[in-house]
Structures are given as C-alpha cells and as structure tokens.
Amino acid sequence: MNVVTPFEGIGASLRRKEDFRFLMGRGQYVDDLNRPGQTHAVMLRSPHAHATIDRIDTAAAKAMPGVKAIFVGEDMAAESIGGIPCGWQIHSKDGSPMAEPMHPALALGKVRHVGDPVAVVIAETKAQARDAAEAIIVDYTPLPAVSGTVAALQPDAPQVHEAAPGNLCYDWHIGDKAAQEAAFARAARVVTFETTNNRLVPNAMEPRAAIGDFDSFSGDYTLYTTSQNPHVIRLLMGAFVLHIPESKLRVVAPDVGGGFGSKIYHYAEEAIVTWAAGKVKRPVKWTCERSESFMSDAHGRDHVSAAELALDAEGKILALKVHTLANMGAYLSTFAPCVPTYLYATLLSGVYAMPVIYAEVKAVFTNTVPVDAYRGAGRPEATYLLERLMDVAAAEAGLDKVEFRRRNFIRPDQFPYQTPVALQYDSGDYHSTLAACLETAGWAGFEARRAESKSRKKLRGIGISTYVEACGIAPSAVVGSLGARAGLYEVGTIRVHPTGSVTVLTGAHSHGQGHETTFAQLVADKLGVPTANVDIVHGDTAKVPFGMGTYGSRSLAVGGSAMDKAMDKIITKGKRIAAHLMEASVEDVEFERGTFRVAGTDKTKSLTDISLAAYVPHNYPIDEIEPGLEETAFYDPKNFTYPGGCHICEVEIDPETGRTEVLNFTAVDDVGRVINPMIVEGQVQGGVAQGIGQALLEAAIYDASGQLVSGSFMDYTMPRAGDLPDVGVATHTTLCTHNPLGVKGCGEVGAIGSPPAVMNAVVDALRDYGVRHVEMPATPQKIWGIVNSHRLAAE
Amino acid sequence: MPQVTLTVNDTKHTVEVEARTLLVETLREQLRLTGTHVGCDTSQCGACVVHMGGDSVKSCTILSVQCDGSDITTIEGLAAADGTLHPMQEAFREYHALQCGFCTPGMVMSAIDLVNKHPDGMSEKEIREGLEGNLCRCTGYHNIVKAIAAAQDVMQGRVPELVRAAAE
C-alpha cells in the first residue's frame, strides 16, 4: 500500500536517494564503464595558439605496439564529416548574421588555440595510445596569436578566422539609444565604471570522457558521454556532424561528476570517438586528463565592460548605458553567442526600476579555448557590473548604499514588471529579501566589528549585492525568434506500474542536483507514492522520450513542470477508471495523494487499485479508455523564472600579507517554492563557493602568445576548504506565477549574487585608502600592492 | 612484467603490472574497483585517496610496484557486509556533504584518516585545514566540514550515534 509517512513530499529535507551508490563507490561515471573489446583513444593537441599545420607524419606512430588507427582532420573531411555546430545565432545591429566560422572536430590546416585537437590515436591500451601520440611528428609554422579580449579588435590584431574579419563575431545591441541619450542629457549626475569579468575554468571534478560504440550488424551507434543533455548531443552530433539519424544513435549520460555548464556543449571528442568506433569496428574510449580539460573544456565569463549610470538629483536612476566586449575564444561553442546577449544584457535592469537602458555588445574571436556558459552564464557578469556600479554610484552621490538600492528597487506592487531590455519579471519582493539579509548578517553592528578588527591592525569590510536572475529560458517561440536553434521545453513521462510503483522518465539530467530525490518528492506529494517506490530515469536517449537537459537552473521549473503536467494526465485518466470501478460519475471523483474518492462518500480506491485495473482490464471500460497508466507531457514555459535576493559578505584583510579572509557570508534568496530545503541550501552554498572563487582566487590567464599560463590545479587556484567560510543560507519565497509548481530555480543564484558582494566588501575594507575599485580576483598580491602603494604614497 | 600482490578490501590479488602502472590504474582497470576516481594529473584533487596500511595515500601518485604486499582499503571496502555504512559515510549522507559524488570517495577516505590522526577531535577550522589535499567543486565544503565534525564524535566514542543535522 502506498502511504507517504513520514512526510516526504514538497518541503521535506529528505536525505538523498542517490547518496548510497556514491558513498559506496558504486556510482557509474563514464570512465567507470568499459565496453567489450574496447580500444583507447588519446588526442594529440596543438602546443601552439595559432599555427598552420604543414605536415603530419604518423608513419612511425602507426607502427608502434597496439596501435589500431590514427586519424587526422583530413580523414574526417574526406568523409564529409561536418563541423561542430553552434546552437544560437545572433544578428548584429545592421541585421547581418554573426560570423560563424567552421569548427572542424580535428584541425584542418590550422590550429587556433593551445589544445586544439590535431590527431586521434586509437590503441589497445591507453598507455600505448599515449606513447604513439608522442611519436607523431607535426610540422607547424607558428603564426602571431591574439588572446586578449580588447586586443582582438585592434586594427593590427592577428586574424583568427578568414571568415570573421577584424575578429568580430557580432556587434549587437538592445534598448533605446535615443532615449538613453536624452535621459543622460538631463541627468544631475553621471557615474562611470569600467571593469573586467575574469575568465574562469569550470573544473567539474570529473574530467570529460566519451566512449563510442558501433554495432556493425545493426548499424547502431552508441555514445556514452559526460553530458548535461544527452538528447541535445544526439541532435547536434547526429544531424550536423556525423549524419546519423536519431533512430540509429543512442546517447547515454550516466552519472556525471559535476557540470556547471561545461558539459552542456557538444564537444569534438564526442564526434571523434563515435565516428572512429565505426571506422575501427570496436568501441573507442577517451578520458580527458585534467591538463587537457584546462585547454579543451569551454571556459566562462571573460567580459570587458564600460558602464555609465545617469541619476537625478534625488538619486533615482534615469538610465543605464553599457558597452561590453565578450571573448568567444577560437570557435563558437554550442550556446556561446547567447551568453553575452540574451543572458547578460537582458539582465542589466537588475532589481531596479530603470526607465531606460541601452547596451552594446561586441563578441570577438581570439586564439583561446572557446568560452560558453558557466554557472550563471551572463547573469553573473550583469550582476557584477551593476552591483559594483551601484556601490560606486552611491559613494559618488553621497548616498548610503543600502538606501540607494532601496530607493531604486522595483516595488512588490509593480509586478509583473516590464524592463526596458525585453524581460518581464513575474514576481519578487526585493525589500523583504534585503531586510532579512541585513538582519541576519548583522549589518547594523558592522562598524563596531570594523573597529575591533582595526584594533588588531586588520581591515574589515562589508559588501552587499541585491540581484535578480532569469532561469528556465523560454518560451520556445520567443527564444527561437532571438536566435535559438532549438526549443527549450522539457519532457516528462510518468509510468505507474501495475502494482503502483512509479518510474519517471525525465529529459532533465542530474549531475549533482539530486533529481532522483527531489523529483521523487514531487511524485510523493502529488500521487502519494512513497519516494522509495519512485525511480527517476534520466540520461539515456533510448529510455527517455526526449529532453533538453539541465542548465540555466531549469530542471525543476521546466522539467518538474512537465512531470506535474504528466501527473495531471495520470489523475485525469485514473479518475475515469475509478469512476467506472466505483460506479460513480467521473465529475464526482476526487483525488488526493494516492486516493480516489467519490465526493461526499466513503467510497475510495487507491492508486494501486486503479493501476492494477488499468493493466489487468477485466472490469474496465475498454471501449472508452485504453489500458495502461502512463502519460507523457511536454512543458513549454510561458516565461523565464526570476529568482532573486540579497547576499552580504564580510571580509577581513591583513594589510601585511594582502590576504582577504571571508568571515561571514549570508544569502537570502527567493527561489520560489522550495521542494527540498536541504538540497536548496547545498546548491546555494556551492554556488557561493564558486562566486567567492571568482572574486578572490580564480583566473584563467593567457600570455600574449596565447599560452594558457594557469593550466593545472598547481596554477589555477581552486577554492579549498580553508579558503571558504560557512555560508548562511535562508530563503524568502514569492511564487513563480506561471509554472504549476511555483518554482524558480536555485542552481545558479549563489554564483550570480556573490561575486559583487565579496568585491564590494573588499573595496569597503580598503575605503580608508581611497580605493574606488579592485578587479577580480582580489589576490593577496593585488591587495598587498594596493595597500603598499598607498603606504608609499603616504610616506 | 612485474607481479605484485595486494590485499584490497580483505581480498588478496596478484596482478601483472607495467613498471609505470599507478596504483589507481590497478584498482580501477585491473581490479575493476571504480569507486576510486581520478580528477587531476598533478596530485592536487584527492579524488583518488585510498588507505594503504591504514594511512591515506593518493593512489595516482604511487606506483603499483611500490604497493607489493600492502594492505589497501578503498571506498568499496568501508561499509559492512550487510550494507551498514561507516559513520563517515552515514554522516556525509545525513549532512548532504555530497552532490555529484565524484570527489566523495576520496573525501571520505581522507576524512576517516584525518579523524584517526586526531584522536582528541578537531575544530571546524582544523577540519578545513586538514582537507587541503581534497577538492570539491559542488558543495563549497560547508556540509563536508559539518559531516566530518559529526562523524568524529561517533568514531571517537564521544556520542553513541550520529547527531542528526539541523531540524527539517
């Protein structure tokens, strides 16, 4: 019998179902899988940022022990293998489509970034493949390279692609330029601010991996891959690269060890191993080494921006003007073009009532790894720019930074609120999240703590960030009109088995988010089936009808809503079956958590009674209703969802070493309805850790010749336990108004809200030094330099 | 090729290895114990931590030939035969100290050794410092620190059973 006890529905901090296998070493990540007869692939990658390939000599390598095959770009081109496609097309101001140069899976004639794959070696063992890769002789002629975002647009910059003159991908804008100019003309004050949003490496702990498998009898291909969205990979790779119909291509993304965006994209290696498996007629397995990850996983951020804010005499915002350069890297990754446009510039209104905004964005090609969405994707860049600008503007206008924000907030009674940059926010309560965060963080008592720090010769600062973001990117028709080459709905199937257990097939993919628990809670809450009897199936195109995957905090808002819709269909059908069994009119049958009841009577049937009748239809209205109890729903959202909130950070700087210690971090977020508070807290804490990492520690650094200087965990500063504080998390809920669950999304809020809170605290700590701005990351070296130059100037 | 004999999770194995074969390769590829993970190539991330003679070692940084005759415990060897979790595993679950699960085996193995090496218990600050050799990208460490603090009290007999995490 299905009885949900103790309560494990919506709102319960249920411990995770998936934890047992992960804690016992029984997870099944791609590199844990081995196919019978598999071979091993190693990619030979370019050591140059930009070079022509004059000759590749594989003769000696091919003769080495265990080597099965070596392929280069020309081998794939000879079979008309397509380039790696881009999933979003932006049009420039003048209406012309973005420059979209060919991205061959294996380099053809030229390499364009360090790490660009040049050849693949397939051998019996990985060690043999590695040995052979070292024996391949490639003659390169190095070319001048450009790695900097600003440098790419200089008139004499080296050209990355012939098809992109001046290295320009697109020159795009949004908003009303004339209105912006008019507003600036009557402003009492204009505040200017320039900043760089540092390039980051996502660094999910599981390196990417892929196994291609080919059944030469059936002609079926299977790709096992570390992906956040296996159906999208099947679509992109099958249709555009390898020309394999969906019916002959299965993509499996089993347990995936973190993604943060970097595993959304279709990568060259996936196509290479799948194609090569067909060539060598054996499975081909490739596992990325971490040094390879640094030079082949899509990076994040990398914006250079200038902003101007026009204020009236009372400190109300009149208009915002923004100019941003965004680095795309050497090729366009799957979603890259939409990140600095529709995921960035559309968020520039933030939580503020801004009458006018005008933003221009130029995207450029450089000789660096492609840049794409990384946790937050565009929204952290917008939030950082705006929230640092708000602090700078408050200081210049002589206003309290909290009061300045409050004065410009969108009020609760203004929702739905139409911004001047396309979005319509459905709900939010920024005054309440602000008030709760100020209270929890002890904002009022800060000056006493600062004085105490000063007595120990330490510099204490406090910083605030109030933000909104946009999740569950949709509806399909709208994103299509903005350049998306896919729909952005989600799919859910609810399969009620004959004896009442439930299998859920979802197009969303879990790689840390805990879907196997949260989604089971949705079923427990609505259908009354205990979570132990609910299995969540995801990550396999052969099992799940379709799906768009997990990114942009969309799994619950879009995928959960699809499941909810499918459960509605189950209930509707169940009521008809129940009406028949109880000899009642269907209009009189009610359903609540597992029980069908004839209204106003004690006649009931359990969901199990109904499912059994549906699969064993002896007493069943077979002429009117089909047997079985399984329903699928596609859910296409009506709008984005808009999580928002307030983050407050308190730091202490040691002026002798320049080290910044985060003492307290408080987040009060409105993520809509919370299904599992424990998981939401964990998501926010993890996001905040990545935000603190961006603010204080992390930077992907290229030198002028295009070499990635920070290319390992020895050089790229990942946040460690000792670098981070406890993160206090609370939620304040306003419901999303347009999806059935009222949920907004919690996966990215931490990474979006936190960097400006940290940097506002750092600048606040240095306020006696007259510091207006510090660029991320605020490393000890940088801070020590600021403190020391001030000290020297004072002497 | 050299032969080495290892006792892994109380089972004796004799395997042929290349001189360059790493312990983690023997565990994952020859013994098919895939719970031990490889997250980097510079000994930084700690996803590969196992116990050798009771001490935590990074199995990506030790050659299999160096392990001849040694006694190894991996994540697969922690829980009791009936499936009862080790207190550290139980605490990780109770405190939501894992998300994607990839760093988890190494994190749990490091944490157990850390607790064993500090019989009088550690402060949360000491736990954070003790985790220097393990990277997690998902959790921000907050819940990992709480889990280790709770597990050490059970492992060191200060409390009879795991203290439940914060009220629901």
Side-chain angles (χ1 to χ4, degrees):
Chain A
M1 176 132 182
N2 285 326
V3 177
V4 182
T5 177
F7 181 67
E8 43 181 33
I10 291 174
S13 280
L14 198 67
R15 290 351 183 219
R16 299 202 317 173
K17 295 180 68 166
E18 45 271 81
D19 283 354
F20 288 106
R21 70 173 185 275
F22 294 137
L23 283 164
M24 296 172 84
R26 300 299 171 88
Q28 287 284 288
Y29 302 89
V30 174
D31 190 53
D32 300 340
L33 305 177
N34 293 290
R35 304 299 303 158
Q38 80 187 4
T39 59
H40 295 265
V42 163
M43 304 293 157
L44 180 68
R45 297 180 183 278
S46 170
H48 299 289
H50 198 195
T52 55
I53 302 169
D54 303 326
R55 185 181 68 109
I56 304 177
D57 182 351
T58 59
K62 274 181 175 158
M64 289 179 66
V67 175
K68 299 299 297 174
I70 296 176
F71 299 110
V72 299
E74 282 73 12
D75 296 319
M76 296 185 86
E79 298 198 2
S80 303
I81 301 302
I84 304 298
C86 179
W88 201 296
Q89 186 180 46
I90 296 294
H91 284 80
S92 288
K93 287 172 187 168
D94 62 6
S96 62
M98 66 185 186
E100 195 173 356
M102 163 81 167
H103 178 189
L106 287 169
L108 276 171
K110 216 179 210 190
V111 289
R112 292 186 174 84
H113 67 88
V114 170
D116 212 354
V118 171
V120 57
V121 181
I122 294 155
E124 297 291 346
T125 71
K126 190 169 183 178
Q128 288 170 334
R130 203 182 286 129
D131 289 345
E134 285 176 12
I136 296 174
I137 298 162
V138 185
D139 288 344
Y140 295 101
T141 301
L143 300 169
V146 61
S147 55
T149 310
V150 174
L153 286 181
Q154 298 304 306
D156 57 346
Q159 294 296 293
V160 182
H161 294 279
E162 283 172 14
N167 295 321
L168 186 69
C169 177
Y170 56 76
D171 179 4
W172 174 91
H173 68 161
I174 192 169
D176 186 336
K177 188 177 187 187
Q180 172 258 312
E181 285 169 351
F184 271 64
R186 60 186 168 84
R189 177 187 298 274
V190 171
V191 180
T192 63
F193 177 64
E194 292 176 11
T195 191
T196 295
N197 204 287
N198 41 327
R199 176 189 274 247
L200 302 176
V201 184
N203 277 324
M205 290 316 301
E206 178 205 24
R208 287 189 297 117
I211 306 172
D213 202 345
F214 176 65
D215 182 329
S216 53
F217 181 74
S218 66
D220 290 348
Y221 287 88
T222 304
L223 169 68
Y224 301 86
T225 183
T226 48
S227 176
Q228 301 175 213
N229 44 356
H231 287 88
V232 175
I233 302 305
R234 186 182 64 170
L235 181 69
L236 293 175
M237 186 176 83
F240 296 99
V241 188
L242 301 182
H243 314 302
I244 305 169
E246 283 93 336
S247 56
K248 289 285 177 197
L249 176 58
R250 175 184 175 198
V251 178
V252 183
D255 287 327
V256 171
F260 316 113
S262 70
K263 292 171 181 169
I264 298 172
Y265 324 116
H266 175 39
Y267 284 97
E269 295 88 352
E270 295 170 322
I272 292 168
V273 298
T274 307
W275 174 77
K279 301 300 289 180
V280 302
K281 303 280 191 287
R282 285 172 61 185
V284 177
K285 179 176 183 174
W286 167 79
T287 302
C288 200
E289 298 190 358
R290 180 60 60 182
S291 338
E292 276 186 283
S293 304
F294 273 96
M295 53 180 160
S296 65
D297 292 5
H299 292 180
R301 319 284 191 253
D302 204 339
H303 284 194
V304 177
S305 294
E308 294 177 59
L309 191 68
L311 302 178
D312 71 10
E314 280 74 49
K316 293 275 277 185
I317 298 168
L318 294 173
L320 172 69
K321 178 185 174 188
V322 171
H323 179 84
T324 291
L325 299 182
N327 195 334
M328 297 281 101
Y331 305 101
L332 291 179
S333 177
T334 308
F335 284 131
C338 83
V339 175
T341 50
Y342 294 108
L343 295 178
Y344 164 75
T346 52
L347 263 296
L348 286 169
S349 192
V351 289
Y352 310 110
M354 291 191 193
V356 182
I357 298 173
Y358 178 68
E360 291 177 300
V361 179
K362 285 182 184 169
V364 302
F365 290 105
T366 59
N367 295 112
T368 63
V369 174
V371 180
D372 206 327
Y374 165 58
R375 202 170 196 167
R379 293 152 286 162
E381 296 91 318
T383 303
Y384 177 72
L385 181 70
L386 194 55
E387 287 303 297
R388 281 291 301 123
L389 176 59
M390 290 300 284
D391 259 30
V392 169
E396 292 192 359
L399 293 168
D400 174 80
K401 50 197 164 193
V402 173
E403 172 52 29
F404 177 51
R405 284 177 166 81
R406 208 179 264 135
R407 196 173 290 181
N408 284 287
F409 272 168
I410 298 161
R411 299 185 314 272
D413 62 356
Q414 287 177 287
F415 291 97
Y417 179 80
Q418 179 64 51
T419 75
V421 276
L423 300 181
Q424 190 185 76
Y425 304 162
D426 64 333
S427 66
D429 181 356
Y430 310 132
H431 291 84
S432 292
T433 45
L434 171 70
C437 201
L438 290 172
E439 171 70 26
T440 310
W443 185 271
F446 171 73
E447 288 306 326
R449 298 194 293 279
R450 182 176 165 93
E452 188 278 328
S453 290
K454 197 168 183 180
S455 73
R456 290 182 286 108
K457 296 192 164 42
K458 300 283 172 64
L459 310 170
R460 191 182 277 244
I462 194 164
I464 189 166
S465 147
T466 50
Y467 75 95
V468 64
E469 59 129 336
C471 295
I473 175 170
S476 293
V478 172
V479 297
S481 72
L482 302 180
R485 289 165 167 162
L488 285 167
Y489 49 83
E490 197 45 82
V491 187
T493 296
I494 304 290
R495 180 177 296 157
V496 184
H497 297 285
T499 59
S501 64
V502 171
T503 298
V504 178
L505 312 176
T506 174
H509 185 277
S510 188
H511 31 280
Q513 295 86 343
H515 293 173
E516 290 168 41
T517 305
T518 308
F519 289 177
Q521 288 181 257
L522 294 182
V523 176
D525 198 86
K526 188 148 182 162
L527 296 185
V529 180
T531 56
N533 294 345
V534 182
D535 274 306
I536 308 299
V537 173
H538 62 96
D540 187 342
T541 62
K543 294 179 180 167
V544 178
F546 202 73
M548 296 308 296
T550 287
Y551 39 82
S553 306
R554 71 193 299 276
S555 300
L556 189 60
V558 191
S561 295
M563 290 168 47
D564 191 72
K565 233 178 119 180
M567 286 192 281
D568 283 339
K569 293 185 185 180
I570 292 282
I571 293 168
T572 301
K573 182 171 181 179
K575 280 182 178 175
R576 293 177 68 193
I577 300 169
H580 173 84
L581 294 178
M582 295 191 283
E583 296 175 340
S585 154
V586 69
E587 293 76 30
D588 292 337
V589 177
E590 299 169 338
F591 178 78
E592 191 186 9
R593 285 209 179 117
T595 303
F596 294 88
R597 176 187 303 277
V598 180
T601 75
D602 58 359
K603 284 167 86 172
T604 63
K605 288 284 177 188
S606 70
L607 180 65
T608 307
D609 295 332
I610 300 306
S611 60
L612 198 60
Y615 287 96
V616 187
H618 295 164
N619 174 19
Y620 195 83
I622 202 89
D623 294 337
E624 297 159 31
I625 314 174
E626 291 173 21
L629 199 53
E630 170 170 332
E631 297 289 349
T632 294
F634 283 57
Y635 177 76
D636 200 276
K638 295 184 184 72
N639 191 356
F640 290 77
T641 64
Y642 297 98
C646 180
H647 290 185
I648 292 176
C649 178
E650 200 162 323
V651 302
E652 192 174 72
I653 292 173
D654 182 342
E656 296 303 317
T657 63
R659 181 169 186 268
T660 300
E661 185 183 356
V662 180
L663 300 176
N664 289 304
F665 197 99
T666 309
V668 178
D669 302 297
D670 177 359
V671 299
R673 191 188 307 284
V674 173
I675 308 300
N676 183 319
M678 176 191 81
I679 288 178
V680 168
E681 279 180 32
Q683 288 292 309
V684 175
Q685 286 161 347
V688 167
Q690 290 179 4
I692 293 174
Q694 168 161 34
L696 298 181
L697 305 168
E698 299 179 39
I701 296 170
Y702 281 91
D703 69 13
S705 71
Q707 289 293 328
L708 178 59
V709 178
S710 52
S712 81
F713 286 155
M714 310 280 278
D715 309 291
Y716 183 94
T717 315
M718 289 279 280
R720 290 173 195 266
D723 296 318
L724 296 173
D726 276 359
V727 174
V729 177
T731 52
H732 174 89
T733 299
T734 63
L735 296 178
C736 171
T737 60
H738 57 80
N739 66 44
L741 298 169
V743 299
K744 296 184 178 181
C746 67
E748 296 163 293
V749 294
I752 291 167
S754 60
V758 178
M759 294 311 296
N760 284 341
V762 167
V763 173
D764 183 58
L766 299 171
R767 72 171 105 131
D768 293 348
Y769 295 74
V771 172
R772 186 177 189 260
H773 178 57
V774 177
E775 292 280 25
M776 299 189 290
T779 59
Q781 183 186 21
K782 194 178 284 174
I783 299 295
W784 186 85
I786 291 168
V787 170
N788 224 37
S789 62
H790 181 272
R791 200 175 276 163
L792 290 172
E795 278 168 6
Chain B
M1 285 206 287
Q3 250 189 10
V4 295
T5 299
L6 308 165
T7 302
V8 181
N9 303 333
D10 298 326
T11 304
K12 202 173 208 176
H13 301 272
T14 299
V15 289
E16 285 194 349
V17 298
E18 286 188 64
R20 62 179 168 181
T21 303
L22 300 167
L23 174 59
V24 70
E25 293 169 337
T26 295
L27 293 173
R28 286 181 55 81
E29 290 158 27
Q30 295 182 281
L31 305 183
R32 292 286 189 244
L33 292 168
T34 55
T36 303
H37 296 152
V38 179
C40 76
D41 44 16
T42 50
S43 283
Q44 291 289 305
C45 81
C48 66
V49 169
V50 299
H51 291 174
M52 185 168 151
D55 294 323
S56 65
V57 295
K58 287 183 170 169
S59 62
C60 74
T61 315
I62 186 165
L63 296 166
S64 296
V65 291
Q66 292 174 283
C67 303
D68 192 29
S70 65
D71 195 353
I72 309 256
T73 305
T74 70
I75 189 74
E76 289 93 342
L78 278 188
D82 67 356
T84 306
L85 297 179
H86 183 283
M88 189 63 75
Q89 291 170 307
E90 186 59 40
F92 266 58
R93 179 172 140 77
E94 175 62 27
Y95 283 80
H96 186 34
L98 65 154
Q99 290 181 23
C100 82
F102 194 81
C103 78
T104 306
M107 200 64 83
V108 167
M109 299 309 284
S110 286
I112 290 171
D113 187 47
L114 204 54
V115 170
N116 289 342
K117 298 271 161 57
H118 295 82
D120 300 325
M122 292 169 285
S123 67
E124 291 200 357
K125 188 169 190 304
E126 288 168 322
I127 294 171
R128 286 183 179 275
E129 286 165 1
L131 291 177
E132 199 199 355
N134 291 76
L135 289 174
C136 169
R137 193 57 152 169
C138 293
T139 64
Y141 306 97
H142 178 108
N143 287 339
I144 292 176
V145 173
K146 307 288 177 213
I148 296 172
Q152 70 175 355
D153 287 343
V154 182
M155 289 168 65
Q156 294 169 346
R158 281 187 292 278
V159 296
E161 60 184 40
L162 195 67
V163 178
R164 308 300 287 181
E168 329 260 286

